[in-house]
Amino acid sequence: MTATYSCVDTLSSSTTLTAGRSVTCEISIAGVGAPSAGLADLDHLHDGNGDEICPKPVFTVGAGALLFTFTPQRHGSLGLARLRYNGQVLATAADAYSSLAFDLGAEVAVDVHAKRFLIVEGDPYPQTYSGANQVGDIDGTWTGFGDFQTTNAGLRWPPARTASTAGEDISATLLSTVTTGSLQKDITIPANQLRFQFRVKYFFTSNVTTTLRQNSFIGRVRVSMLDSGGTEVDVIRDLTMFSYLRGVVIEGSDRNQVNDGDIRFEEQLQIVGAIRPADHVTIRVRIEVDHTSNEQLWFIAPILQYAVTTDALDSNDLAALQAFYTAVATTAPSVVASWRTPSNGAFNGDPCFNRWKGVRCRFGRIVGLELNNVGLSGALPAAATLGQMTKLESINFRNNSLSGVWNWGTGATALRTVRIVDNQFTAIDNGGVFVHSTHTCLKYFNADSNLITALPTSGLLTHKALQRFKVQNNVIAQAMPSDFSGMVSLTDLSLGLNQFTGSFPSVLPLYSLASIDVGFNQLTGVVPRIITSGAPANQAPPTPNAGYPYDAVNHFQQLEVVDMSRNQLSGIFPIYPFAMARFGERLNLNAQFNFFTTTPPRHFSLSLIHISEPTRLLSISYAVFCLKKKKKKKK
């Protein structure tokens, strides 16, 4: 079967797909007039830079076609969708973009099952701005205008512009008789404005008869805010311009703001800022030009726009962030300094525009909290509140003093990475982010070095997407789970340095697991001779290797590291479950300080077995065996 995709901007119906804007795709399947949404699944859905979009969108049906809507978060040429219908991966009808961008000849074959997208860059702060041209043209209303000219003085660029032409942009540079000069204008902020953007184009050229002097100062653009008394209280942006070859290098201080426009030669400067009406009532724009070295810097069409809309930051995101601060961050100095306003102690406006410490945003939503080693302390607020940050993707609270129960609620369905290492958490919430049916994006969870006493009893062992689960160096005192096979994507399981009792797990995800650490626990008994697996339904087991005295179907395919050291394991040395001809030569097996009664068989082709261990069979206190795979002799 073949699928034909038609993807457009949800609001404008444009075929140009833009990062940060909703996209609706309509899929027609040849020979299927009435498709069922329940039979459709997206094997892959990628952003413009190739990252997986998660959670995946839900299918609906309309006019005999499948429909889904998603919002690409990153721009680039690597957007991709691959559809499976009724268990079958569908071929994709060829289109111009796929052929142009990805048909690289015989070296790289085009994936005929994937629809490709070009995602163009979007405005990182989507806003509806009003009040265009609040600054107006460069004219006599600017202080210092007497030192400037608005003609092109015979230069080929920029083209001549005069103040007498209605509606025409005005460009300005210094008079030929003036070496340095500045333009300044104070603009009163209209009532009820929340934020602004300032744009000014520039063009840099030179007198063709003059040799350029490199790395010299040529100009500055400075935007600041004044209080009611006319005193400068906040420098929003101070961009300094230097000549370099025939281009311009921009250096700028960055206090609370980001420059989300281009600052390249023959381009524009764009500055976005938040307005706090209680403190600031005037914006001052100052433009400086320096022709000491005969360079020519022209400024063209400055524009100041205001935004009165409130759609920049989701209100639930803001409420959750403020609740988090009140619960655990009031004694964290660097957080207090960034999240609160010194003059009145109120929250510092918009966390995205004002760049609150540790807060990462994308298109007006909070996507990351990176508060590593900042002095957070106490228990987290209610999980239902924190879960309101529904676009949150990553959490890093490493090396703080957070305590109580780790619980981020069920609302954060986009969460991919959690790092809460080196805190004082005593428990992990049952369910929550470990419920796979609602949290399909979670790939990495690291709670090493806390005070956790037990594993979550709901969700964890059946989470199909989780790849790395680490709770090393806690005080978990419970029986070791025997069956981890429900975690079919698991690659790294780290449970060492705890107080687990019971036996070594007998059922593990053999087809994905690369590392397992259960060292420094209280495990007893015999390691199972054969460890079984719950293989994914769509993944066939490997073909058994002839000549080996065990069933190779039930052996690891990716395993590289096993640490079962410092337990109380006994019986025959556990080589059979971990040896396999294909991967055995890179296996690192640490079984030191147990009570095994035999040594490793010599016929296994393992390059590294570290099994320093107490033994009752030998007269020495420990032994180290390193077995190397023998090279076959050429006949």
Side-chain angles (χ1 to χ4, degrees):
M1 290 189 290
T2 301
T4 301
Y5 291 74
S6 174
C7 297
V8 298
D9 185 290
T10 302
L11 297 178
S12 67
S13 297
S14 169
T15 56
T16 299
L17 310 184
T18 304
R21 292 180 61 90
S22 175
V23 173
T24 298
C25 289
E26 179 179 302
I27 307 169
S28 300
I29 304 174
V32 181
S36 169
L39 297 178
D41 179 48
L42 282 167
D43 265 4
H44 298 287
L45 181 61
H46 293 173
D47 263 336
N49 70 343
D51 282 358
E52 191 82 22
I53 292 175
C54 194
K56 292 180 182 178
V58 177
F59 280 96
T60 58
V61 177
L66 293 168
L67 303 172
F68 69 86
T69 301
F70 72 102
T71 302
Q73 297 293 299
R74 302 163 184 86
H75 67 279
S77 60
L78 300 179
L80 178 147
R82 197 166 83 158
L83 177 66
R84 184 184 297 272
Y85 186 77
N86 198 19
Q88 180 181 349
V89 178
L90 303 185
T92 304
D95 58 42
Y97 179 68
S98 295
S99 300
L100 175 65
F102 295 95
D103 188 359
L104 305 178
E107 295 183 4
V108 180
V110 174
D111 184 355
V112 298
H113 297 99
K115 164 63 180 175
R116 307 275 180 177
F117 306 110
L118 174 65
I119 309 296
V120 302
E121 188 171 5
D123 183 356
Y125 305 105
Q127 282 289 301
T128 302
Y129 286 95
S130 61
N133 296 309
Q134 291 289 340
V135 171
D137 297 325
I138 298 177
D139 55 24
T141 62
W142 290 73
T143 302
F145 181 73
D147 291 334
F148 285 75
Q149 58 177 314
T150 56
T151 62
N152 66 351
L155 297 173
R156 289 177 297 173
W157 185 268
R161 292 178 170 92
T162 62
S164 62
T165 304
E168 189 175 8
D169 293 338
I170 301 299
S171 60
T173 192
L174 289 172
L175 294 168
S176 59
T177 57
V178 178
T179 303
T180 61
S182 62
L183 294 165
Q184 182 171 298
K185 191 169 189 179
D186 294 345
I187 303 101
T188 301
I189 301 172
N192 301 319
Q193 305 300 308
L194 297 178
R195 54 199 67 173
F196 72 90
Q197 66 174 351
F198 174 76
R199 299 197 311 271
V200 58
K201 298 178 182 178
Y202 68 87
F203 182 86
F204 174 67
T205 184
S206 65
N207 189 318
V208 295
T209 63
T210 303
T211 301
L212 286 174
R213 193 177 77 188
Q214 301 305 312
N215 303 321
S216 59
F217 172 77
I218 59 173
R220 169 180 283 120
V221 175
R222 180 184 175 95
V223 176
S224 57
M225 305 198 80
L226 313 181
D227 63 15
S228 57
T231 302
E232 186 177 82
V233 292
D234 198 354
V235 178
I236 302 301
R237 196 75 169 178
D238 191 352
L239 302 174
T240 306
M241 311 172 74
F242 298 88
S243 63
Y244 180 72
L245 299 177
R246 292 189 176 276
V248 176
V249 173
I250 310 293
E251 294 181 359
S253 62
D254 188 0
R255 184 173 186 272
N256 293 340
Q257 305 300 329
V258 294
N259 176 25
D260 67 335
D262 292 326
I263 53 174
R264 299 188 300 267
F265 172 52
E266 197 177 337
E267 261 295 349
Q268 71 174 0
L269 304 177
Q270 180 164 302
I271 299 167
V272 178
I275 298 171
R276 297 193 295 271
D279 302 322
H280 308 140
V281 296
T282 304
I283 293 176
R284 171 170 292 174
V285 178
R286 180 178 177 85
I287 298 174
E288 299 177 18
V289 179
D290 190 319
H291 286 175
T292 302
S293 301
N294 296 316
E295 289 88 0
Q296 298 290 310
L297 179 65
W298 293 73
F299 283 100
I300 308 167
I303 297 175
L304 182 68
Q305 297 175 303
Y306 301 107
V308 297
T309 57
T310 59
D311 59 349
L313 183 71
D314 182 86
S315 59
N316 290 329
D317 280 5
L318 183 59
L321 203 59
Q322 291 177 350
F324 174 82
Y325 173 90
T326 301
V328 300
T330 57
T331 58
S334 60
V335 177
V336 173
S338 174
W339 292 25
R340 306 300 288 243
T341 303
S343 60
N344 58 20
F347 282 106
N348 183 19
D350 187 310
C352 299
F353 277 97
N354 288 348
R355 302 188 73 185
W356 287 14
K357 181 179 178 63
V359 179
R360 292 194 299 108
C361 300
R362 191 185 306 124
F363 303 118
R365 296 300 305 269
I366 295 174
V367 296
L369 295 176
E370 303 292 332
L371 295 168
N372 177 22
N373 193 27
V374 295
L376 303 177
S377 62
L380 295 174
T385 300
L386 296 175
Q388 293 181 98
M389 287 185 269
T390 56
K391 298 298 183 182
L392 189 66
E393 296 176 1
S394 66
I395 293 171
N396 183 0
F397 296 157
R398 187 185 184 101
N399 196 20
N400 285 285
S401 299
L402 297 171
S403 59
V405 178
W406 165 263
N407 186 355
W408 206 262
T410 58
T413 56
L415 195 59
R416 303 183 184 200
T417 303
V418 176
R419 292 180 176 88
I420 52 173
V421 180
D422 290 320
N423 279 278
Q424 299 169 22
F425 287 109
T426 56
I428 302 173
D429 176 56
N430 288 320
V433 298
F434 293 113
V435 178
H436 180 260
S437 61
T438 55
H439 289 73
T440 59
C441 304
L442 186 65
K443 300 292 192 296
Y444 181 91
F445 187 90
N446 189 342
D448 287 349
S449 301
N450 278 273
L451 301 174
I452 296 168
T453 59
L455 297 177
T457 58
S458 175
L460 173 64
L461 298 180
T462 56
H463 199 289
K464 298 178 181 179
L466 190 62
Q467 296 174 355
R468 303 183 67 188
F469 181 74
K470 300 167 69 68
V471 287
Q472 186 175 335
N473 193 23
N474 279 277
V475 289
I476 301 176
Q478 68 174 72
M480 175 68 68
S482 62
D483 187 351
F484 288 89
S485 63
M487 304 173 75
V488 295
S489 299
L490 190 65
T491 62
D492 182 3
L493 179 62
S494 181
L495 307 176
L497 287 166
N498 280 287
Q499 300 170 31
F500 281 101
T501 58
S503 303
F504 190 91
S506 58
V507 186
L508 289 167
L510 304 184
Y511 302 100
S512 63
L513 194 63
S515 173
I516 178 171
D517 178 6
V518 293
F520 286 80
N521 278 290
Q522 299 171 22
L523 301 183
T524 58
V526 177
V527 176
R529 182 180 177 87
I530 294 179
I531 296 176
T532 60
S533 173
N538 61 349
Q539 181 175 350
T543 302
N545 288 340
Y548 279 81
Y550 54 86
D551 181 6
V553 172
N554 286 322
H555 283 72
F556 295 93
Q557 304 299 297
Q558 308 293 337
L559 194 63
E560 297 182 9
V561 178
V562 178
D563 188 346
M564 60 178 72
S565 62
R566 295 186 182 271
N567 281 280
Q568 301 170 33
L569 298 168
S570 59
I572 298 174
F573 184 81
I575 193 65
Y576 289 95
F578 307 111
M580 184 151 184
R582 182 180 176 190
F583 294 99
E585 60 185 62
R586 69 183 184 191
L587 176 65
N588 184 341
L589 172 59
N590 186 349
Q592 63 180 334
F593 298 105
N594 280 285
F595 297 96
F596 299 117
T597 57
T598 63
T599 57
R602 293 185 178 181
H603 65 270
F604 284 104
S605 56
L606 299 172
S607 62
L608 176 60
I609 310 176
H610 181 61
I611 59 160
S612 300
E613 56 172 316
T615 172
R616 300 171 185 173
L617 300 181
L618 304 177
S619 58
I620 57 176
S621 60
Y622 65 91
V624 178
F625 297 85
C626 292
L627 306 182
K628 296 183 178 179
K629 185 176 182 180
K630 294 181 179 180
K631 295 182 179 179
K632 293 183 179 180
K633 294 182 179 180
K634 295 182 179 180
K635 294 183 179 180

